[in-house]
Amino acid sequence: MTSDYHIFFAIDAFLFLKLIATSTIRHKSLNSSPLLSITIQLPDCVLSNKPFRLSLMAVMSAADTEHFPGVAMNECDFAWRRKRYSQCVTHCKNELCVAASPTLDYWQAMFLRQKGRIDRERELESLRSLAKFSTIRSKQARVYDLTPPPVGGNALFHWQSLHSQKPANLDKAGILSIFLGRRSLFVALSWMCVLLNPCQPQEVHDDKPNIVLMMVDDLGIGDLGCFGNDTIRTPNIDRLAREGVQLNHHIAAASMCTPSRAAFLTGRYPIRSGMVSNAVDRVIITLGAPAGLPHNETTFAALLKKQGYSTALIGKWHQGLNCQSRYDQCHHPYHYGFDYYYGMPFTLIDPCWPDPSRDTELAIRSKIWLCVQLVAVAALTFALGKLSRLVSLPWSLIFCMILFIFLLGYFWFSSYKSPLYWDCLLMREHDITEQPMKAERAGSIMVKEAISFMERNREGPFLLVFTFLHVHVPLPTTTEFIGTSKHGLYGDNVQEMDSMVGKILDAIDNFHLKNRTLVYFTSDHGGHLESRVGHSQRGGWNGIYRGGKGMAGWEGGIRVPGLIRWSGRLPAGKVIEEPTSLMDIFPTLAAVSGSSVPQDRVIDGQNLMPLLQGEVQRSEHEFLYHYCGAFLHAVRWHPKDSDAVWKVHYVTPVFQPPGAHACFETLFCRCSGKLVTYHDPPLLFDLTRDPSESTPLTQDTEPLYDVVIQTVANAVREHRKSILPVQQQLSELNYDSSWLKPCCGVFPFCLCDTEGGTSTVQA
């Protein structure tokens, strides 16, 4: 239906311009023509639709070619349509835009906004200037100036004869102002109808929602009020549960960060993409490792980008960064469908916070780097003078100066072996903004970035993936929240995270996007039971479920909170007990965006929309496979003709010390070797009767024991046939290389902070 309006809009626009051109040609002289200026201000509903804008550009250009051979289209407009704002800035510096400084300011503002460095007030000021003076002067007779739509406002499509002495008159009603002479008044009124008509059907039938996905790091399912916690305050997340659908049986595809997030992005078990390991380390261990999500994997961001979505990832990445050099950024989020990135390419580790010497080191670094530059310039000057015989200095002095530079760099690098300086950093797009990062303020800056992105793209559709650094150790928390909970620093960090969720939800409401935005909240896996200092627990609580982070089979390691809100489309307050997975987000987003999942690979996730909307009552997942690295530890079976959910364990970790409920001696449980137990026959639990997996079923206690064990074994055989051999990124490529470590300056002088002015800004 919308496409029909596009056609009529283009035809009417062309006829309108042709009528204008014809009436103008009838006059003896252009200078005496009453046709002086056309200023058209289109409604948001028209300009938010790209085909309308392009059709208007096309008919304007066609009218020029036929009736006004001397009229040219501003090249800035074409560059803007391709989001090449830098070309606009460059082009407007030549004689075409000599007298159009407000226009040049606007293009510079757009260029900076694309780079994420535009101040909102500067953008508004540039728009005000452009509204006052929107004609681009040139030596040619006439120029079309197609000004791009400002955030939250209407765009101006302006055509003006350079013979006009009248300024552009912007109608306060925001519709249309035309100086045509009396004979064309009827045409002007008709044009208003054309502009207004497409609005209604477009607003009604535009089904692509904005999408906001929030993922917390290491959050236990028992840490939230909506999942039973009555001692930690999470009012904003609880509100999300009341206003949306709560998934009580939501499962992560892995119990560690890197593989779980890879499965979340791709909708596939991480063993299919190679984001697994058969060794001890099951996550990317450093930014100096060449491991990362393979480029042949398709993420939901890539799918939505093809559907016209603006996409952003803000927060933790942990899917790799560099491959062959410290600057190639082959695993940057830009390669996986994201238009904008701000955040931490690695993950929080203990050295990241607190760091009391950071500010001192930054100050020292600037002075040492200045010293190195002065010595290098002196050495180069003396060497050139020596070669040209202008100075008489011994070569030994010059060589000593060069040796001093290398020794200073070596000792500087050697003194900064801590991962703090190489892994604890923040990036905006391709640039490092903080190295090392000031961890306690990072969350506030990320929330600001998220709100700014939504504001810039409020006309939609957009995809915002917000991946918290909270609540991973070392739990960097601002002083505002320290001491506010009953559970020490961990509880404080959870409550700060909840306040950030509230700010994002409030921004959605303030931008009037609530009914047009699908919001999803989850954790990448269960809470980390072994994370503690003395007797103080620094990891999450997994409620009634056994195990935690790193334990791929036990429920506590993979059972995560799942909340989905889409006001007006999903029922509020609904609770679903059917098995669902983080991998389901991939096909679900494909469905709501009008895309389709790739057909050249196995997609393990299922579209959740029928289940969420109540069209079906059962999950599409019959079997879910639980891997610990590259090793299959357990399988979940939900028979199609039964309400039971069976869980079969083939391998379980050995807890240490004996009698403990986690692997405190090794910090993380192992996947293979002497620190696991292989079960033959396997352990069997019915999660509907025993969700804590406390009492294994046997042939004596469960009549269906043999049937369940045999059915699951058959499913495992079929599943393994679908697993194709690929390179294991976290085994073969998961090593540390100094030459791949990112650096914001000249290596090894890599300390910087470009966010210093935002440290006190509240998100």
Side-chain angles (χ1 to χ4, degrees):
M1 186 172 183
T2 305
S3 60
D4 294 337
Y5 276 91
H6 295 167
I7 296 171
F8 287 119
F9 183 85
I11 294 173
D12 288 345
F14 178 78
L15 294 176
F16 172 64
L17 289 169
K18 184 172 182 179
L19 178 59
I20 293 172
T22 304
S23 63
T24 304
I25 291 173
R26 289 174 185 161
H27 290 270
K28 297 180 180 180
S29 171
L30 272 175
N31 293 335
S32 62
S33 171
L35 178 61
L36 297 176
S37 178
I38 302 173
T39 301
I40 303 168
Q41 189 167 355
L42 301 182
D44 289 340
C45 51
V46 173
L47 295 184
S48 62
N49 191 295
K50 186 175 181 180
F52 276 100
R53 299 197 301 265
L54 296 181
S55 62
L56 183 58
M57 290 178 64
V59 296
M60 281 183 162
S61 180
D64 273 345
T65 303
E66 182 178 355
H67 301 291
F68 298 123
V71 179
M73 179 71 75
N74 179 6
E75 293 180 20
C76 291
D77 302 322
F78 292 112
W80 173 75
R81 297 301 171 187
R82 297 172 176 82
K83 296 186 177 181
R84 297 173 183 169
Y85 305 128
S86 58
Q87 294 181 12
C88 298
V89 175
T90 302
H91 182 74
C92 283
K93 288 180 179 177
N94 63 26
E95 61 180 11
L96 179 64
C97 305
V98 169
S101 57
T103 303
L104 176 57
D105 289 341
Y106 182 77
W107 290 121
Q108 290 172 331
M110 289 295 292
F111 175 57
L112 291 174
R113 189 178 79 174
Q114 185 195 38
K115 294 297 183 183
R117 297 191 290 270
I118 181 63
D119 183 81
R120 176 65 175 150
E121 191 57 37
R122 177 177 174 183
E123 183 182 349
L124 291 175
E125 183 60 34
S126 67
L127 285 170
R128 295 187 194 104
S129 300
L130 193 59
K132 295 177 182 177
F133 186 75
S134 60
T135 303
I136 296 181
R137 304 287 180 176
S138 76
K139 295 180 180 179
Q140 297 169 319
R142 296 171 180 83
V143 174
Y144 287 129
D145 180 13
L146 292 169
T147 306
V151 175
N154 296 328
L156 306 177
F157 286 81
H158 184 68
W159 184 96
Q160 187 170 21
S161 167
L162 295 186
H163 299 288
S164 171
Q165 301 301 318
K166 296 184 180 181
N169 180 22
L170 307 184
D171 191 348
K172 293 181 180 179
I175 308 295
L176 180 66
S177 296
I178 299 180
F179 300 99
L180 291 175
R182 296 179 180 177
R183 72 176 71 183
S184 301
L185 179 60
F186 178 76
V187 178
L189 295 175
S190 300
W191 180 253
M192 291 173 61
C193 297
V194 173
L195 293 179
L196 292 175
N197 283 341
C199 300
Q200 297 300 324
Q202 183 178 343
E203 289 181 348
V204 172
H205 295 283
D206 190 0
D207 290 333
K208 291 183 180 179
N210 302 313
I211 297 167
V212 176
L213 310 178
M214 291 182 280
M215 175 176 280
V216 188
D217 201 358
D218 287 16
L219 179 70
I221 192 172
D223 292 327
L224 304 177
C226 53
F227 284 90
N229 193 308
D230 57 1
T231 59
I232 296 180
R233 296 190 299 273
T234 56
N236 296 293
I237 299 172
D238 298 345
R239 179 183 66 157
L240 191 62
R242 291 193 304 272
E243 296 176 352
V245 179
Q246 180 169 321
L247 304 174
N248 280 356
H249 200 136
H250 205 40
I251 305 298
S255 60
M256 299 288 280
C257 301
T258 300
S260 175
R261 292 164 186 265
F264 172 66
L265 288 166
T266 63
R268 289 155 50 85
Y269 288 110
I271 192 147
R272 298 192 191 278
S273 61
M275 296 298 281
V276 294
S277 169
N278 55 18
V280 173
D281 295 317
R282 288 178 274 155
V283 299
I284 293 176
I285 60 172
T286 173
L287 283 179
L293 186 65
H295 287 165
N296 61 353
E297 291 295 324
T298 300
T299 68
F300 53 67
L303 288 184
L304 268 61
K305 186 174 182 178
K306 292 180 180 179
Q307 295 298 312
Y309 276 74
S310 298
T311 59
L313 172 69
I314 296 175
K316 172 177 172 176
W317 175 234
H318 211 185
Q319 298 294 302
L321 186 60
N322 297 319
C323 291
Q324 298 179 342
S325 75
R326 72 177 77 256
Y327 301 112
D328 66 20
Q329 298 185 358
C330 64
H331 293 304
H332 191 281
Y334 280 9
H335 296 292
Y336 303 95
F338 292 101
D339 297 323
Y340 181 73
Y341 173 64
Y342 178 85
M344 189 176 188
F346 191 51
T347 183
L348 282 176
I349 50 179
D350 284 330
C352 291
W353 187 79
D355 177 34
S357 63
R358 174 183 179 274
D359 294 338
T360 303
E361 290 162 344
L362 284 169
I364 294 174
R365 181 262 181 192
S366 62
K367 293 178 174 58
I368 291 180
W369 176 234
L370 177 61
C371 177
V372 168
Q373 289 177 306
L374 292 175
V375 174
V377 170
L380 180 61
T381 303
F382 291 154
L384 293 175
K386 180 74 173 178
L387 293 173
S388 60
R389 299 181 180 180
L390 295 177
V391 296
S392 178
L393 288 173
W395 281 108
S396 58
L397 175 61
I398 298 174
F399 287 135
C400 285
M401 296 174 71
I402 297 174
L403 181 62
F404 170 78
I405 295 174
F406 280 102
L407 289 176
L408 186 61
Y410 172 76
F411 288 122
W412 177 272
F413 177 73
S414 299
S415 65
Y416 289 96
K417 288 294 187 181
S418 170
L420 166 69
Y421 305 101
W422 306 109
D423 292 328
C424 301
L425 56 88
L426 292 175
M427 297 180 67
R428 176 178 284 107
E429 297 189 314
H430 289 289
D431 302 324
I432 298 174
T433 60
E434 293 185 52
Q435 187 178 11
M437 62 191 283
K438 198 173 184 67
E440 66 270 21
R441 76 180 179 193
S444 296
I445 299 175
M446 290 193 305
V447 172
K448 275 189 59 181
E449 291 283 339
I451 294 174
S452 177
F453 172 79
M454 290 191 291
E455 183 178 16
R456 294 195 304 269
N457 297 278
R458 64 196 300 177
E459 298 303 324
F462 64 77
L463 165 69
L464 170 62
V465 181
F466 191 93
T467 53
F468 288 87
L469 301 183
H470 295 62
V471 292
H472 195 291
V473 290
L475 305 173
T477 309
T478 60
T479 54
E480 180 184 355
F481 285 90
I482 290 180
T484 60
S485 78
K486 299 178 181 179
H487 293 277
L489 187 60
Y490 180 82
D492 300 341
N493 204 244
V494 171
Q495 293 187 172
E496 183 176 49
M497 177 271 297
D498 177 79
S499 74
M500 294 177 177
V501 171
K503 290 176 181 179
I504 294 174
L505 295 179
D506 289 344
I508 293 173
D509 293 344
N510 294 337
F511 298 148
H512 307 290
L513 300 176
K514 184 174 181 179
N515 292 337
R516 296 164 45 199
T517 303
L518 185 154
V519 180
Y520 170 73
F521 177 91
T522 192
S523 175
D524 54 353
H525 47 68
H528 191 187
L529 301 181
E530 296 91 347
S531 178
R532 59 196 315 173
V533 177
H535 296 287
S536 175
Q537 182 67 27
R538 296 295 177 92
W541 182 49
N542 299 313
I544 64 173
Y545 303 109
R546 187 176 185 180
K549 177 180 180 178
M551 306 178 208
W554 295 123
E555 204 71 358
I558 53 179
R559 182 80 72 111
V560 294
L563 302 172
I564 302 181
R565 185 189 77 179
W566 188 1
S567 299
R569 301 296 293 270
L570 298 180
K574 183 176 182 178
V575 177
I576 293 178
E577 302 289 348
E578 289 289 298
T580 56
S581 169
L582 263 63
M583 296 183 293
D584 296 339
I585 299 304
F586 182 96
T588 301
L589 297 190
V592 300
S593 66
S595 182
S596 58
V597 299
Q599 300 300 310
D600 60 345
R601 65 199 64 194
V602 176
I603 300 297
D604 298 297
Q606 301 289 339
N607 177 15
L608 288 176
M609 288 306 294
L611 182 64
L612 297 173
Q613 294 178 319
E615 296 175 5
V616 299
Q617 302 303 317
R618 296 184 60 84
S619 169
E620 293 295 323
H621 289 289
E622 184 176 3
F623 296 96
L624 284 170
Y625 303 91
H626 308 302
Y627 282 89
C628 185
F631 305 97
L632 182 66
H633 274 204
V635 179
R636 184 182 318 252
W637 178 35
H638 184 36
K640 296 180 179 180
D641 57 353
S642 170
D643 292 333
V645 179
W646 304 101
K647 183 91 164 288
V648 176
H649 288 262
Y650 296 104
V651 184
T652 57
V654 176
F655 293 154
Q656 348 90 26
H661 59 281
C663 302
F664 293 101
E665 294 179 358
T666 57
L667 189 59
F668 293 104
C669 292
R670 300 291 187 253
C671 295
S672 61
K674 297 180 180 180
L675 292 179
V676 301
T677 300
Y678 298 91
H679 299 282
D680 188 13
L683 301 180
L684 176 63
F685 300 92
D686 181 358
L687 296 180
T688 56
R689 292 179 287 170
D690 184 15
S692 300
E693 300 174 285
S694 58
T695 306
L697 300 173
T698 65
Q699 289 177 319
D700 297 330
T701 59
E702 177 52 58
L704 296 176
Y705 180 90
D706 291 333
V707 174
V708 174
I709 296 299
Q710 186 59 49
T711 302
V712 172
N714 294 338
V716 169
R717 280 194 296 270
E718 293 301 315
H719 167 71
R720 283 178 168 157
K721 292 178 183 179
S722 70
I723 305 297
L724 302 178
V726 294
Q727 185 179 33
Q728 289 188 2
Q729 297 285 322
L730 305 186
S731 296
E732 304 169 31
L733 300 176
N734 205 14
Y735 56 86
D736 190 12
S737 171
S738 298
W739 304 110
L740 296 182
K741 295 181 182 293
C743 179
C744 64
V746 178
F747 185 84
F749 304 99
C750 301
L751 276 66
C752 63
D753 182 3
T754 63
E755 301 285 1
T758 62
S759 60
T760 60
V761 177
Q762 296 300 315

